[in-house]
Structure formats: C-alpha cells, structure tokens
Amino acid sequence: MRVLYIDDNRINLKVIEAMLGIRSAQALSAPNGEVGLAMLDAEDVDAVLVDLRMPDMDGFEVLRRIRGRGDAKASLPVCIVTADPDSNLGAQARRAGADEFLTKPVMMADLFAFLDAVEAQDPRPAVRACP
C-alpha cells in the first residue's frame, strides 16, 4: 500500500512515516498542498492523509482539489488529520468529502483502522509474498 501524507510539520511527517513503516506501507511525504497535489499527479497511491491546518493551502482545499479531479484519483480515500480541538471539524471534513478524520496525536490503531478500511474496499487482488 502506498500512502501520500501531506503536512507542513516535518516531525508529523516523520511520525506518520514511521507508523506506516510498521504497517509495511510505503509513505510518500509532501511538505504542503501544492507539492502533495503534484505528487498525486505523478505517483500511484492508495490513500491520502492530509493535515487540515497548513499555511498556504489547508486540508479542505487539498480535499476539494482531489475530489474535483476528472480521473480515478478523485475517489481516492482521503483522511483529514488535525490537532485542532474543534469538535465540529470531523463532521465538516466528512461533508467536504473526507472518508476519515483523525486527531493528533494520531493513534496507531486509528491510522491502521483507516488503512484496513482502504484495503477492504480495494478491488485489486492482494499480492502475497512467497514463503
């Protein structure tokens, strides 16, 4: 599984990369929305994690641009991630088209539950390693 994580905070990127590594998922990291969207154009990914509060382009704008694409990537599973304590943000994120909403610090079990849901909906056959 390949997961694109967009966050302007380098430490947050490293933490999520480490969690994805534990899950044996490949992490692709972007430091802002513009770079993340460019990476989405160039790379095949299975899911997107995007920080809500970034200086140049917030997570809602990134989500809007992903959902507005004219290709299959418009329907990629997207999870909004935030440290913002506003309890209404989860509902806002889902109304905007997010598949999931996680708060920081992200709990590994919550991240893995999102990835499990992504894998459960993936119509491609699983690739299993030979013993």
Side-chain angles (χ1 to χ4, degrees):
M1 171 178 281
R2 299 182 81 203
V3 179
L4 173 61
Y5 182 41
I6 305 167
D7 195 319
D8 61 308
N9 183 299
R10 241 185 287 170
I11 294 171
N12 291 337
L13 289 171
K14 294 296 181 193
V15 169
I16 295 297
E17 286 173 5
M19 287 183 189
L20 291 172
I22 290 168
R23 176 63 185 249
S24 297
Q26 182 181 2
L28 303 167
S29 299
N32 59 54
E34 289 294 335
V35 172
L37 291 170
M39 289 177 72
L40 190 58
D41 286 338
E43 301 284 345
D44 288 326
V45 299
D46 300 296
V48 178
L49 302 169
V50 61
D51 182 37
L52 181 59
R53 304 288 184 216
M54 295 183 288
D56 296 327
M57 180 187 307
D58 71 12
F60 285 132
E61 178 62 17
V62 172
L63 177 61
R64 186 186 69 73
R65 290 189 188 190
I66 291 171
R67 294 296 182 239
R69 294 175 65 102
D71 61 13
K73 291 182 180 181
S75 61
L76 278 170
V78 177
C79 176
I80 297 285
V81 182
T82 189
D84 192 321
D86 185 341
S87 61
N88 297 317
L89 287 173
Q92 260 184 288
R94 286 190 177 82
R95 280 193 305 273
D99 298 281
E100 187 58 80
F101 180 84
L102 298 177
T103 56
K104 294 175 186 175
V106 173
M107 298 288 113
M108 197 175 317
D110 295 334
L111 176 61
F112 288 4
F114 170 67
L115 299 177
D116 287 344
V118 170
E119 287 179 334
Q121 294 181 12
D122 189 347
R124 295 174 295 181
V127 176
R128 305 218 185 271
C130 296

